[in-house]
Coordinates of all heavy atoms in Angstrom, one line a residue:
R281 N -0.6 -12.5 -29.6 CA -1.8 -11.7 -29.9 C -2.9 -12.6 -30.4 O -4.1 -12.3 -30.2 CB -1.5 -10.6 -30.9 CG -0.5 -9.6 -30.5 CD -0.2 -8.6 -31.6 NE -1.3 -7.7 -31.9 CZ -1.4 -6.5 -31.3 NH1 -0.5 -6.1 -30.4 NH2 -2.4 -5.8 -31.6
F282 N -2.6 -13.7 -31.1 CA -3.6 -14.5 -31.7 C -4.4 -15.3 -30.6 O -5.6 -15.6 -30.8 CB -3.0 -15.5 -32.6 CG -2.5 -14.9 -33.9 CD1 -1.2 -14.5 -34.1 CD2 -3.4 -14.6 -34.9 CE1 -0.8 -13.9 -35.3 CE2 -3.0 -14.0 -36.1 CZ -1.7 -13.6 -36.3
I283 N -3.9 -15.4 -29.4 CA -4.6 -16.0 -28.3 C -5.8 -15.1 -27.9 O -6.9 -15.5 -27.8 CB -3.7 -16.3 -27.1 CG1 -2.6 -17.3 -27.5 CG2 -4.5 -16.8 -25.9 CD1 -1.6 -17.5 -26.4
T284 N -5.4 -13.8 -27.8 CA -6.5 -12.8 -27.5 C -7.5 -12.7 -28.6 O -8.7 -12.6 -28.4 CB -5.9 -11.5 -27.2 OG1 -5.4 -11.5 -25.8 CG2 -6.9 -10.3 -27.3
H285 N -7.0 -12.7 -29.9 CA -8.0 -12.7 -31.0 C -9.0 -13.8 -30.9 O -10.2 -13.6 -31.1 CB -7.2 -12.8 -32.3 CG -6.3 -11.6 -32.6 ND1 -6.3 -10.5 -31.9 CD2 -5.3 -11.5 -33.5 CE1 -5.4 -9.7 -32.4 NE2 -4.7 -10.3 -33.4
F286 N -8.5 -15.0 -30.6 CA -9.4 -16.2 -30.5 C -10.5 -16.0 -29.5 O -11.7 -16.2 -29.7 CB -8.6 -17.4 -30.2 CG -9.4 -18.6 -29.8 CD1 -10.0 -19.4 -30.8 CD2 -9.5 -19.0 -28.5 CE1 -10.8 -20.5 -30.5 CE2 -10.2 -20.1 -28.1 CZ -10.9 -20.8 -29.1
W287 N -10.0 -15.5 -28.3 CA -11.0 -15.3 -27.2 C -12.0 -14.2 -27.5 O -13.2 -14.3 -27.1 CB -10.3 -15.1 -25.9 CG -9.8 -16.4 -25.3 CD1 -8.5 -16.8 -25.2 CD2 -10.6 -17.4 -24.8 NE1 -8.5 -18.1 -24.6 CE2 -9.7 -18.5 -24.4 CE3 -12.0 -17.6 -24.6 CZ2 -10.2 -19.7 -23.8 CZ3 -12.5 -18.8 -24.1 CH2 -11.6 -19.8 -23.7
V288 N -11.5 -13.1 -28.1 CA -12.4 -12.0 -28.5 C -13.5 -12.5 -29.5 O -14.6 -12.1 -29.4 CB -11.6 -10.8 -29.0 CG1 -12.5 -9.8 -29.7 CG2 -10.8 -10.2 -27.9
W289 N -13.1 -13.3 -30.4 CA -14.1 -13.8 -31.4 C -15.2 -14.7 -30.6 O -16.3 -14.6 -31.0 CB -13.4 -14.7 -32.4 CG -12.5 -13.9 -33.3 CD1 -12.5 -12.6 -33.6 CD2 -11.3 -14.4 -34.0 NE1 -11.5 -12.2 -34.4 CE2 -10.8 -13.3 -34.7 CE3 -10.7 -15.6 -34.1 CZ2 -9.6 -13.4 -35.5 CZ3 -9.6 -15.8 -34.9 CH2 -9.1 -14.7 -35.6
I290 N -14.7 -15.4 -29.6 CA -15.7 -16.2 -28.8 C -16.6 -15.2 -28.0 O -17.8 -15.4 -27.9 CB -15.0 -17.2 -27.9 CG1 -14.4 -18.3 -28.7 CG2 -16.0 -17.7 -26.8 CD1 -13.6 -19.3 -27.9
E291 N -16.0 -14.2 -27.4 CA -16.7 -13.3 -26.5 C -17.7 -12.4 -27.2 O -18.7 -12.0 -26.6 CB -15.7 -12.4 -25.7 CG -14.9 -13.2 -24.7 CD -13.5 -12.6 -24.5 OE1 -13.2 -11.5 -25.0 OE2 -12.7 -13.3 -23.8
T292 N -17.5 -12.2 -28.5 CA -18.4 -11.4 -29.3 C -19.3 -12.2 -30.3 O -20.2 -11.7 -30.9 CB -17.6 -10.4 -30.2 OG1 -16.7 -11.1 -31.0 CG2 -16.8 -9.4 -29.3
L293 N -19.0 -13.6 -30.3 CA -19.7 -14.4 -31.3 C -19.6 -13.8 -32.7 O -20.5 -13.8 -33.5 CB -21.1 -14.7 -30.9 CG -21.4 -15.4 -29.6 CD1 -22.9 -15.6 -29.4 CD2 -20.6 -16.7 -29.5
S294 N -18.4 -13.3 -33.0 CA -18.3 -12.5 -34.3 C -16.8 -12.5 -34.7 O -15.9 -12.5 -33.8 CB -18.8 -11.1 -34.1 OG -18.5 -10.3 -35.2
L295 N -16.5 -12.4 -36.0 CA -15.2 -12.2 -36.5 C -15.0 -10.7 -36.8 O -14.0 -10.3 -37.5 CB -14.9 -13.0 -37.7 CG -15.0 -14.6 -37.5 CD1 -14.7 -15.3 -38.8 CD2 -14.0 -15.0 -36.4
Q296 N -15.9 -9.8 -36.4 CA -15.8 -8.4 -36.8 C -14.6 -7.7 -36.2 O -14.0 -6.8 -36.8 CB -17.1 -7.7 -36.4 CG -17.1 -6.2 -36.9 CD -18.4 -5.5 -36.4 OE1 -19.4 -6.1 -36.1 NE2 -18.3 -4.2 -36.4
I297 N -14.2 -8.1 -35.0 CA -13.1 -7.4 -34.4 C -11.8 -8.1 -34.9 O -11.5 -9.2 -34.5 CB -13.2 -7.5 -32.8 CG1 -14.4 -6.7 -32.4 CG2 -11.9 -7.0 -32.2 CD1 -14.6 -6.7 -30.9
K298 N -11.1 -7.4 -35.7 CA -9.9 -7.9 -36.4 C -8.7 -7.9 -35.4 O -7.8 -8.7 -35.5 CB -9.6 -7.2 -37.7 CG -10.8 -7.1 -38.6 CD -11.4 -8.4 -39.0 CE -12.5 -8.3 -40.0 NZ -13.1 -9.6 -40.4
D299 N -8.7 -6.9 -34.6 CA -7.6 -6.7 -33.7 C -8.1 -5.9 -32.5 O -8.6 -4.8 -32.7 CB -6.4 -6.0 -34.3 CG -5.2 -5.9 -33.4 OD1 -5.1 -5.2 -32.4 OD2 -4.2 -6.7 -33.7
S300 N -7.9 -6.4 -31.3 CA -8.4 -5.7 -30.1 C -7.3 -5.1 -29.2 O -7.6 -4.6 -28.1 CB -9.3 -6.6 -29.3 OG -8.5 -7.7 -28.8
M301 N -6.1 -5.1 -29.7 CA -4.9 -4.7 -28.8 C -4.2 -3.5 -29.3 O -3.3 -3.0 -28.7 CB -3.9 -5.9 -28.7 CG -4.6 -7.1 -28.1 SD -3.4 -8.5 -27.9 CE -2.5 -8.0 -26.5
C302 N -4.6 -2.9 -30.5 CA -4.0 -1.8 -31.0 C -4.5 -0.5 -30.3 O -5.7 -0.3 -30.2 CB -4.2 -1.6 -32.5 SG -3.4 -0.2 -33.3
G303 N -3.5 0.3 -29.8 CA -3.9 1.5 -29.1 C -4.0 2.8 -30.0 O -3.8 3.9 -29.5
F304 N -4.3 2.6 -31.2 CA -4.5 3.7 -32.2 C -6.0 3.7 -32.6 O -6.4 2.9 -33.5 CB -3.6 3.4 -33.4 CG -3.4 4.6 -34.3 CD1 -3.8 5.9 -34.0 CD2 -2.9 4.3 -35.6 CE1 -3.6 6.9 -34.9 CE2 -2.7 5.4 -36.5 CZ -3.1 6.7 -36.1
R305 N -6.8 4.5 -32.0 CA -8.2 4.4 -32.1 C -8.9 5.8 -32.1 O -8.4 6.7 -31.5 CB -8.8 3.6 -31.0 CG -8.3 2.2 -30.8 CD -8.9 1.5 -29.6 NE -8.5 0.1 -29.6 CZ -8.8 -0.7 -28.6 NH1 -9.6 -0.3 -27.6 NH2 -8.4 -2.0 -28.7
V306 N -10.1 5.8 -32.6 CA -11.0 7.0 -32.5 C -12.2 6.5 -31.7 O -13.0 5.7 -32.2 CB -11.4 7.6 -33.8 CG1 -12.2 8.9 -33.5 CG2 -10.2 8.0 -34.7
Y307 N -12.4 7.1 -30.5 CA -13.6 6.7 -29.7 C -14.7 7.7 -29.9 O -14.6 8.9 -29.8 CB -13.2 6.7 -28.2 CG -12.3 5.6 -27.7 CD1 -11.0 5.7 -27.7 CD2 -12.9 4.4 -27.3 CE1 -10.2 4.6 -27.2 CE2 -12.2 3.3 -26.9 CZ -10.8 3.4 -26.8 OH -10.0 2.4 -26.4
P308 N -16.0 7.1 -30.1 CA -17.2 7.9 -30.0 C -17.5 8.1 -28.5 O -17.8 7.2 -27.8 CB -18.2 7.1 -30.7 CG -17.8 5.7 -30.5 CD -16.3 5.7 -30.4
L309 N -17.3 9.4 -28.0 CA -17.3 9.6 -26.6 C -18.7 9.5 -25.9 O -18.7 9.1 -24.7 CB -16.7 11.0 -26.3 CG -15.2 11.1 -26.6 CD1 -14.7 12.5 -26.4 CD2 -14.4 10.1 -25.8
E310 N -19.7 9.7 -26.6 CA -21.1 9.5 -26.0 C -21.3 8.0 -25.6 O -21.7 7.7 -24.5 CB -22.2 10.0 -26.9 CG -23.5 9.9 -26.3 CD -24.6 10.5 -27.1 OE1 -24.3 11.0 -28.2 OE2 -25.8 10.5 -26.7
A311 N -20.9 7.1 -26.5 CA -21.0 5.7 -26.2 C -20.0 5.3 -25.1 O -20.4 4.5 -24.2 CB -20.7 4.9 -27.5
Y312 N -18.8 5.9 -25.1 CA -17.9 5.6 -24.0 C -18.4 6.0 -22.7 O -18.3 5.3 -21.7 CB -16.5 6.2 -24.4 CG -15.5 5.9 -23.3 CD1 -14.8 4.6 -23.4 CD2 -15.1 6.7 -22.3 CE1 -13.8 4.3 -22.5 CE2 -14.2 6.4 -21.4 CZ -13.5 5.2 -21.5 OH -12.6 4.8 -20.5
A313 N -18.9 7.2 -22.6 CA -19.4 7.8 -21.4 C -20.6 6.9 -20.8 O -20.7 6.7 -19.6 CB -19.9 9.2 -21.6
E314 N -21.4 6.4 -21.7 CA -22.5 5.5 -21.3 C -21.9 4.2 -20.8 O -22.4 3.7 -19.8 CB -23.4 5.2 -22.5 CG -24.6 4.4 -22.2 CD -25.6 5.1 -21.2 OE1 -25.6 6.4 -21.2 OE2 -26.2 4.4 -20.4
L315 N -20.9 3.7 -21.4 CA -20.3 2.4 -20.9 C -19.7 2.6 -19.5 O -20.0 1.7 -18.7 CB -19.2 2.0 -21.9 CG -18.4 0.8 -21.5 CD1 -19.3 -0.5 -21.5 CD2 -17.2 0.6 -22.5
I316 N -18.9 3.6 -19.3 CA -18.3 3.7 -18.0 C -19.2 4.0 -16.8 O -18.8 4.0 -15.7 CB -17.1 4.6 -18.0 CG1 -17.5 6.1 -18.3 CG2 -16.0 4.1 -19.0 CD1 -16.4 7.1 -18.2
K317 N -20.5 4.4 -17.2 CA -21.5 4.5 -16.1 C -21.9 3.2 -15.6 O -22.4 3.0 -14.5 CB -22.7 5.2 -16.7 CG -22.6 6.7 -17.0 CD -23.9 7.2 -17.5 CE -23.8 8.7 -17.9 NZ -25.0 9.2 -18.6
Q318 N -21.7 2.1 -16.4 CA -22.3 0.8 -16.1 C -21.2 -0.2 -15.6 O -21.6 -1.1 -14.9 CB -22.9 0.2 -17.4 CG -24.0 1.1 -18.0 CD -24.4 0.6 -19.4 OE1 -24.2 -0.5 -19.8 NE2 -24.9 1.5 -20.2

């Protein structure tokens, strides 16, 4: 998992994303709907 953590930090230029692989989430659906349009 740490390999993905490393690349995500580079891809976001941020350490804000602590873990990007956990499937336990609450999605704001308006933002999600906007994303999948693009």
Side-chain angles (χ1 to χ4, degrees):
R281 300 174 71 89
F282 287 97
I283 298 173
T284 278
H285 296 345
F286 169 77
W287 280 110
V288 166
W289 295 334
I290 289 175
E291 291 151 7
T292 58
L293 298 183
S294 170
L295 298 178
Q296 183 180 342
I297 294 182
K298 310 300 182 184
D299 187 286
S300 61
M301 302 180 77
C302 182
F304 191 17
R305 301 176 174 178
V306 184
Y307 284 95
L309 292 177
E310 186 174 357
Y312 183 80
E314 185 62 31
L315 175 64
I316 61 173
K317 289 178 184 177
Q318 303 169 22

